[in-house]
Amino acid sequence: MLEYFPIDEASAENYNKTLLYRRRAKARLGEVYLSQSNLNEALEIYSELENSEEFSGQFRVTGSAGKAVVYDLMAPDEFTGGVEEKEQKVRECLGKVGADFDLLNEFLRNAITAIQQRYPATPPPLPDVESEPTQAESTTFLSPRALALRFARR
């Protein structure tokens, strides 16, 4: 898909338009990678979008939101710092989305809404070590695979 928008072949007058279309295509490609559980490829795409300098902040917020989804779907053992690092990265990305939530497309808005429910702005207090999770607590967690399948159906 990206081969249809080659930056190196764009004329000076079409450079900005080509760059815009290329970034739009990359944003959609990130969604495809997420729906196929190709998390490394999705992370690469969303990291590039998050670091975009030209045009509107839409691409940066898309990149941040996509990275939040990727980090949320990754297993804690994929982070050197385990669960704590995973949560920190997700929260950091959610913070970057912030007020620009409305710039996201429906796919990412739905994904971010689901993630925000698991990562509230103020984390709940840690439970006592001896207490068992309540029925509601034990059924509200969705595995990364279940979340990926939910987004793939949309």
Side-chain angles (χ1 to χ4, degrees):
M1 159 172 32
L2 296 174
E3 64 269 7
Y4 294 113
F5 309 107
I7 292 293
D8 53 342
E9 296 176 18
S11 65
E13 65 184 39
N14 288 327
Y15 178 82
N16 287 341
K17 188 186 303 185
T18 302
L19 188 58
L20 174 66
Y21 292 149
R22 185 173 179 84
R23 288 189 179 153
R24 285 180 181 170
K26 282 191 174 197
R28 297 298 296 185
L29 185 58
E31 292 175 21
V32 170
Y33 287 149
L34 281 176
S35 67
Q36 296 174 344
S37 297
N38 293 331
L39 300 182
N40 290 332
E41 291 87 353
L43 185 59
E44 185 178 323
I45 292 283
Y46 288 126
S47 293
E48 182 180 329
L49 289 172
E50 185 181 47
N51 294 321
S52 299
E53 294 179 14
E54 295 120 4
F55 299 113
S56 73
Q58 179 179 5
F59 296 108
R60 286 188 298 277
V61 74
T62 295
S64 296
K67 284 176 62 175
V69 175
V70 170
Y71 291 143
D72 183 58
L73 292 172
M74 292 172 70
D77 63 357
E78 294 183 65
F79 298 87
T80 56
V83 172
E84 293 82 15
E85 182 182 351
K86 174 181 175 168
E87 289 183 6
Q88 179 213 357
K89 286 183 177 256
V90 171
R91 289 181 190 281
E92 181 182 313
C93 291
L94 289 176
K96 290 178 182 178
V97 171
D100 292 328
F101 177 83
D102 292 337
L103 295 176
L104 299 174
N105 65 20
E106 184 178 359
F107 177 87
L108 286 174
R109 276 196 311 265
N110 290 336
I112 292 300
T113 299
I115 292 169
Q116 287 172 329
Q117 292 173 357
R118 286 190 301 284
Y119 297 90
T122 305
L126 295 173
D128 293 335
V129 176
E130 298 174 11
S131 66
E132 294 291 322
T134 65
Q135 178 66 25
E137 291 172 334
S138 63
T139 59
T140 56
F141 175 76
L142 290 176
S143 71
R145 179 76 177 140
L147 185 61
L149 290 173
R150 178 183 288 177
F151 292 131
R153 291 186 200 131
R154 293 180 187 208

